[in-house]
Amino acid sequence: MGQLADRPPYQKYAVRVARSRIDGYGVFADEPIPPRLKIGEIRGETIPVAEARRRAAGQQRIMIVEVSARTAVDASQSRDPMRFTNHSCAPNARLQIRDGRIEFYALKAIAVGEEVTVDYGETHHEGRLACRCGAPGCVGRL
Ligand SMILES: [Zn+2]
């Protein structure tokens, strides 16, 4: 884990992957990230949605994002740090799916050492997983 030595050009801000109090590993800012700017992307293996759902079934930690009605990206073999981004019900970043790309943008200024979080919205967990984000107003399920 730790900082990525060879950062791809689509990873705009330095982040590190470290243990998170929310769940497993999380993504933490290694430099200040201004509001609204792109933080980075997740790239991975493009697969049909049906295959994505088969792979996701029964897994605790899912690294698959559906990018269209037919296509999904499986990032489990990816080295992109943003794939470790945790969900929060009060996130400081957002996920944007555009033209098959999985992009992360800051919603507010993110300080060095702060965990980067997004609202996952609909997930493969379908409400079966407890949310431990700790935010006031946490909906409690993923
Ligand atoms: Zn929550």
Side-chain angles (χ1 to χ4, degrees), residues 87-90 130-135 137-142:
H87 165 91
S88 172
C89 298
C131 183
R132 295 188 291 266
C133 79
C138 171
V139 297
R141 311 250 102 211
L142 281 180

Side-chain angles (χ1 to χ4, degrees), residues 31-52:
E31 62 183 328
I33 303 171
R36 295 185 301 279
L37 295 190
K38 181 175 167 180
I39 305 169
E41 279 182 41
I42 305 173
R43 298 196 181 175
E45 182 192 358
T46 300
I47 53 173
V49 161
E51 170 66 8

Side-chain angles (χ1 to χ4, degrees), residues 12-13 33-40 93 104-108:
K12 301 296 184 190
Y13 285 90
I33 303 171
R36 295 185 301 279
L37 295 190
K38 181 175 167 180
I39 305 169
F104 292 78
Y105 289 84
L107 285 172
K108 52 182 97 171

Side-chain angles (χ1 to χ4, degrees), residues 19-136:
R19 278 278 173 198
S20 165
R21 60 168 190 81
I22 298 174
D23 181 48
Y25 289 97
V27 174
F28 296 82
D30 240 2
E31 62 183 328
I33 303 171
R36 295 185 301 279
L37 295 190
K38 181 175 167 180
I39 305 169
E41 279 182 41
I42 305 173
R43 298 196 181 175
E45 182 192 358
T46 300
I47 53 173
V49 161
E51 170 66 8
R53 292 187 177 164
R54 193 187 64 73
R55 291 185 188 182
Q59 283 187 42
Q60 268 294 310
R61 293 199 174 84
I62 296 171
M63 290 190 172
I64 297 174
V65 180
E66 292 182 15
V67 294
S68 76
R70 277 187 281 182
T71 310
V73 171
D74 183 347
S76 44
Q77 305 303 316
S78 163
R79 298 183 61 210
D80 296 328
M82 299 314 291
R83 72 199 178 109
F84 289 101
T85 307
N86 274 317
H87 165 91
S88 172
C89 298
N92 56 14
R94 69 185 171 86
L95 192 64
Q96 176 170 289
I97 313 288
R98 186 168 57 190
D99 301 331
R101 290 183 180 211
I102 307 160
E103 303 177 320
F104 292 78
Y105 289 84
L107 285 172
K108 52 182 97 171
I110 302 173
V112 172
E114 199 179 327
E115 181 165 3
V116 177
T117 55
V118 298
D119 184 342
Y120 285 176
E122 295 279 303
T123 74
H124 284 115
H125 295 299
E126 296 168 335
R128 289 168 309 205
L129 199 70
C131 183
R132 295 188 291 266
C133 79

